[in-house]
Amino acid sequence: MFGFGKAPGETSKKKGPPPNYRVKPMSSWTVEDTVVFFRECVTEKKKVLNNVRSKEVDGDLLRAMEDDEMEEHIGLDGLMVKKLRKKMDGVARDEEAENKVAALITFLERIHLSQYHDRLVNDLGVADIKELPELVENADFLERLQLKFAEESRFKNAVRQIMHPSNNSTTLQPQGKLSRSAGGTPGGSATQNPRRTQG
């Protein structure tokens, strides 16, 4: 379902802006972003950090490296490689979550309700547009979202159209079925041609 409010202890640990590797996709990391990631999540060994710099390992290159290349060129041992892989998987999951939130924000902007994005994401804990079909039927959720009457109607209709596009079912049918209902079908013309040759 949806969680009202933030997770316990979430705000107590936030001191200043997060490092770049937390707010940028890995493919956009600079060499220095990668160095900070290594220092905070993998190891503080100067040799490893210097190797990252000297080899110019940015986020895109880091994703492409094999385990043996990390050991050879960066100076990681087997345990460090496993730790790095685990942290990289966590970053990938975070990126996926951010992409879902971005899709949710885009949806709200498209229906001119972007002013409710903070309340929806931060206060009500909605993190994925796929959660909305169930939530729009929840009276408590809609009350807490505090939409105006016309906005609530627009919000509900938009969710139902995007997640359940049944109104467009005719356009998704194979062309053969649509053309038969229209009359002159390829199948019809195929049955008429032999009659013309026989006559």
Side-chain angles (χ1 to χ4, degrees), residues 10 51 75 111 134 139 145 153 155-156:
E10 183 180 351
N51 285 339
I111 60 176
E134 180 180 357
L145 188 54
S153 177
F155 181 70
K156 287 182 176 180

Side-chain angles (χ1 to χ4, degrees), residues 3-165:
F4 298 124
K6 298 179 180 179
E10 183 180 351
T11 56
S12 60
K13 295 183 179 180
K14 291 186 177 180
K15 296 180 180 180
N20 285 338
Y21 74 82
R22 291 188 179 275
V23 297
K24 295 181 356 185
M26 191 179 299
S27 58
S28 300
W29 288 2
T30 65
V31 172
E32 284 306 311
D33 294 336
T34 309
V35 170
V36 174
F37 170 72
F38 266 83
R39 185 170 59 241
E40 293 190 2
C41 300
V42 184
T43 180
E44 295 182 353
K45 289 185 176 182
K46 291 184 178 180
K47 180 180 179 181
V48 171
L49 302 181
N50 289 337
N51 285 339
V52 172
R53 285 194 180 96
S54 63
K55 301 293 184 178
E56 298 184 349
V57 180
D58 57 13
D60 205 34
L61 178 58
L62 181 62
R63 288 197 309 179
M65 293 182 73
E66 300 291 342
D67 292 359
D68 58 342
E69 293 174 327
M70 293 178 178
E71 295 178 8
E72 179 182 353
H73 298 290
I74 301 180
L76 301 180
D77 57 33
L79 185 61
M80 285 183 185
V81 170
K82 289 182 179 180
K83 185 176 181 180
L84 173 60
R85 288 296 185 194
K86 185 176 180 180
K87 293 295 183 180
M88 289 173 65
D89 289 343
V91 170
R93 286 193 296 271
D94 290 344
E95 288 182 10
E96 182 181 0
E98 290 175 1
N99 290 337
K100 289 180 179 180
V101 171
L104 187 60
I105 294 172
T106 300
F107 166 73
L108 292 174
E109 290 175 345
R110 189 163 59 245
I111 60 176
H112 307 293
L113 295 177
S114 58
Q115 66 271 27
Y116 292 98
H117 131 257
D118 283 337
R119 188 176 302 161
L120 191 65
V121 175
N122 298 327
D123 297 340
L124 300 182
V126 179
D128 191 343
I129 195 172
K130 293 180 180 179
E131 299 176 40
L132 293 180
E134 180 180 357
L135 294 178
V136 294
E137 307 301 332
N138 187 299
D140 183 46
F141 168 79
L142 292 174
E143 181 179 353
R144 289 173 181 266
L145 188 54
Q146 299 178 5
L147 293 168
K148 297 177 182 178
F149 178 79
E151 292 173 337
E152 180 175 322
S153 177
R154 184 162 74 248
F155 181 70
K156 287 182 176 180
N157 288 336
V159 170
R160 289 164 182 162
Q161 288 175 7
I162 289 180
M163 305 309 298
H164 304 287

